[in-house]
């Protein structure tokens, strides 16, 4: 996964450069539980943990949360991109220039208000004290039951160790931005997903040295205006989060996550073939490519992310998360979001140790475990219902 953000120009009236006025949250120390990757100036090489890679990852996850509460998310580039209309902006009063709703009327969205857009500066600076070191990753080969093993190649180093994040607000106005929102976002990603790039290769699982308060993030999301949800892009209402353990309570082998990745791809391909034969059609692996990713005939990113094994509460664990769009041209009369999700759920339930609470989703495969949207968000952000 990669991110490409446009260059931004600062609007003079929006610049707050007085160092003594900048808001901060306490530094956040993270430990890597699986290799961490952010890229760097040289393609395919990570010489240190780069701020841009971390910010891109945090923005991706923030957009997931914003879409999940019905907020407005525009792309940082592309056809429907976030661009501050300078002519409209100049007509705003000083007070209106710090009003999120007025700024959205000028072309911004709930994500770009914080993470920046063309003509609009990001509202915080991220500084990283990098105490990580190189880790060399061996290539992975998985037995497929045929003469051709599945292979994953890791020719370059990743990073492991500790790093400290410093989140520095660039605005005085807490109504516009509270840096504690980013701290809560870091905690959320640490609990459920991965930071940095190459999450599809098992990278990016981190643990904060101290638990971070996600209530400012929850309160910010609660204030966002409700709008129509996006059916095509990752959002809380089409995502699921899973914690897996070995069936025999032993430890996962280093290649276990790649074995699971291959198993899921194979399972989808087998079901594709079976349903195609019932309809007298020729199977073409379209669905497995759409869900699990492929590099040909067209490059598609995986929608399923599986971490490398790591220890959680002294137990060998694999974290899996993913998203399945509610609507897609890749679905047909045999396949939709629910049937694919159920296929993944059944395979995991049959082959791994998983408690009911280890599968977290708004619309859980078990009807008895369905949640309301607000309760689901509070669960993910570990907000006490009391």
């Amino acid at each position: 996964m990669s991110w490409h953000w446009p260059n931004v120009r600062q609007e003079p009236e929006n610049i707050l450069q007085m160092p003594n006025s900048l808001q901060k949250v306490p530094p956040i120390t993270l430990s890597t539980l699986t290799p961490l990757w952010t890229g760097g100036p040289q393609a395919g090489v990570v010489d240190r943990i780069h701020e841009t890679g971390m910010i891109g990852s945090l923005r991706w996850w923030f957009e997931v949360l914003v879409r999940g509460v019905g907020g407005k998310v525009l792309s940082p580039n592309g056809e429907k991109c976030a661009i501050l209309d300078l002519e409209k902006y100049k007509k705003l009063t000083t007070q209106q220039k710090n009003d999120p709703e007025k700024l959205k009327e000028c072309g911004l969205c709930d994500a770009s208000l914080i993470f920046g857009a063309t003509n609009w500066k990001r509202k915080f600076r991220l500084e990283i004290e990098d105490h990580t070191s190189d880790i060399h990753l061996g290539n992975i080969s998985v037995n497929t039951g045929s003469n051709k093993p599945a292979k994953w190649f890791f020719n370059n180093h990743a990073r492991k160790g500790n790093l400290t994040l410093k989140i520095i607000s660039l605005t005085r106005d807490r109504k516009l931005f509270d840096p504690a929102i980013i701290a809560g976002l870091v905690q959320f990603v640490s609990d459920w997903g991965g930071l940095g790039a190459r999450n599809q290769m098992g990278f990016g699982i981190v643990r904060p040295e101290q638990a971070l308060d996600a209530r400012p993030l929850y309160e910010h999301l609660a204030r966002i205006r409700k709008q129509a949800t996006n059916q095509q892009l990752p959002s809380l209402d089409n995502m699921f989060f899973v914690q897996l353990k070995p069936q025999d309570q032993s430890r996962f082998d280093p290649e276990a996550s790649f074995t699971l990745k291959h198993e899921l791809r194979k399972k989808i391909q087998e079901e594709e073939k079976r349903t195609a034969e019932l309809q007298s059609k020729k199977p073409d692996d379209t669905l497995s490519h759409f869900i699990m990713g492929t590099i040909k005939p067209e490059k598609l990113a995986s929608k399923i992310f599986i971490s490398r094994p790591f220890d959680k509460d002294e137990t060998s664990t694999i974290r899996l998360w993913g998203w399945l769009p509610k609507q897609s041209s890749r679905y047909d009369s045999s396949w939709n979001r629910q049937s694919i999700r159920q296929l993944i759920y059944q395979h995991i339930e049959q082959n791994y140790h998983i408690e009911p609470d280890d599968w977290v989703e708004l619309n859980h495969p078990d009807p008895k475990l369905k949640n309301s949207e607000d309760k689901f968000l509070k669960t993910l952000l570990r907000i006490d219902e009391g």
Side-chain angles (χ1 to χ4, degrees), residues 277-322:
E277 288 174 347
L278 290 175
Q279 300 175 13
S280 300
K281 295 180 180 179
K282 182 179 179 180
D284 57 7
D285 294 338
T286 298
L287 189 63
S288 61
H289 289 169
F290 178 61
I291 302 301
M292 301 303 299
T294 185
I295 58 174
K296 58 182 181 181
E298 60 174 321
K299 189 173 182 179
L300 291 173
S302 176
K303 294 174 176 58
I304 307 298
F305 303 89
I306 305 171
S307 78
R308 293 185 175 223
F310 64 97
D311 284 344
K312 181 180 181 183
D313 300 326
E314 300 182 354
T315 302
S316 187
T317 303
I318 288 177
R319 179 181 297 174
L320 180 150
W321 70 96

Side-chain angles (χ1 to χ4, degrees), residues 352-366:
Y352 297 85
H353 179 76
I354 177 173
E355 300 289 343
D357 289 344
D358 290 336
W359 181 291
V360 178
E361 184 179 11
L362 178 60
N363 297 308
H364 197 283
D366 184 343

Side-chain angles (χ1 to χ4, degrees), residues 64-327:
V64 165
L65 292 171
V66 169
R67 292 191 196 101
V69 297
K72 181 180 181 181
V73 178
L74 297 171
S75 301
N77 46 35
E79 292 183 6
K80 294 183 178 180
C81 59
I83 301 176
L84 181 70
D85 187 320
L86 294 179
E87 292 303 315
K88 289 184 178 180
Y89 179 78
K90 290 175 181 176
K91 294 178 182 179
L92 299 180
T93 66
T94 300
Q95 184 175 1
Q96 289 174 333
K97 287 177 179 177
N98 288 325
D99 183 340
E101 296 307 318
K102 291 296 181 181
L103 290 169
K104 282 190 280 186
E105 291 174 8
C106 294
L108 299 180
C109 67
D110 290 299
S112 59
L113 277 168
I114 291 177
F115 281 87
T118 300
N119 299 332
W120 182 257
K121 181 181 173 65
R122 186 178 357 107
K123 295 296 103 181
F124 68 97
R125 183 171 72 248
L126 183 67
E127 296 179 354
I128 297 179
E129 290 182 3
D130 186 359
H131 303 290
T132 62
S133 57
D134 280 344
I135 175 174
H136 181 70
L137 306 171
N139 296 330
I140 298 290
S141 180
V142 172
N143 185 0
T144 63
S146 66
N147 293 328
K148 284 188 174 183
K151 294 183 178 180
W152 288 265
F153 298 96
F154 300 93
N155 298 321
N156 297 307
H157 295 187
R159 309 290 296 183
K160 69 173 182 177
N162 298 327
L163 61 149
T164 299
L165 308 182
K166 296 181 179 180
I167 303 164
I168 302 170
S169 177
L170 301 179
T171 176
R172 295 186 184 95
D173 195 332
R174 286 290 178 106
K175 181 181 178 182
L176 192 59
F177 173 66
D178 179 353
I181 292 170
I182 304 301
L185 182 61
V186 171
Q187 182 66 61
F188 164 72
V189 179
S190 301
D191 286 336
W192 303 104
L195 276 176
R198 299 194 176 184
N199 294 157
Q200 74 276 18
M201 292 297 182
F203 295 177
I205 307 300
V206 299
R207 178 173 55 207
E209 187 178 74
Q210 295 182 332
L212 306 169
D213 187 2
R215 284 175 297 179
L217 173 60
Y218 171 78
E219 292 165 0
H220 176 80
L221 294 170
R223 290 193 294 269
I224 290 176
R225 180 183 295 176
K226 300 288 183 179
Q227 296 184 9
T229 58
N230 190 304
Q231 305 292 316
Q232 308 294 327
L233 295 172
S235 171
L236 285 185
D237 61 348
N238 62 29
M239 296 192 78
F240 49 91
F241 306 88
V242 193
Q243 305 288 339
L244 307 177
K245 301 173 183 65
Q247 277 188 326
D248 56 4
Q249 299 297 303
S250 62
R251 297 189 65 79
F252 282 119
D253 294 327
E255 67 273 10
S257 55
F258 296 91
T259 299
L260 175 56
K261 185 186 292 286
H262 170 71
E263 288 172 347
L264 290 178
R265 183 183 292 276
K266 185 177 180 181
K267 189 72 175 178
I268 296 172
Q269 289 174 337
E270 289 174 349
E271 289 300 309
E272 271 189 289
K273 181 179 179 181
R274 185 183 65 82
T275 55
E277 288 174 347
L278 290 175
Q279 300 175 13
S280 300
K281 295 180 180 179
K282 182 179 179 180
D284 57 7
D285 294 338
T286 298
L287 189 63
S288 61
H289 289 169
F290 178 61
I291 302 301
M292 301 303 299
T294 185
I295 58 174
K296 58 182 181 181
E298 60 174 321
K299 189 173 182 179
L300 291 173
S302 176
K303 294 174 176 58
I304 307 298
F305 303 89
I306 305 171
S307 78
R308 293 185 175 223
F310 64 97
D311 284 344
K312 181 180 181 183
D313 300 326
E314 300 182 354
T315 302
S316 187
T317 303
I318 288 177
R319 179 181 297 174
L320 180 150
W321 70 96
W323 66 283
L324 297 169
K326 293 184 178 180
Q327 300 174 1

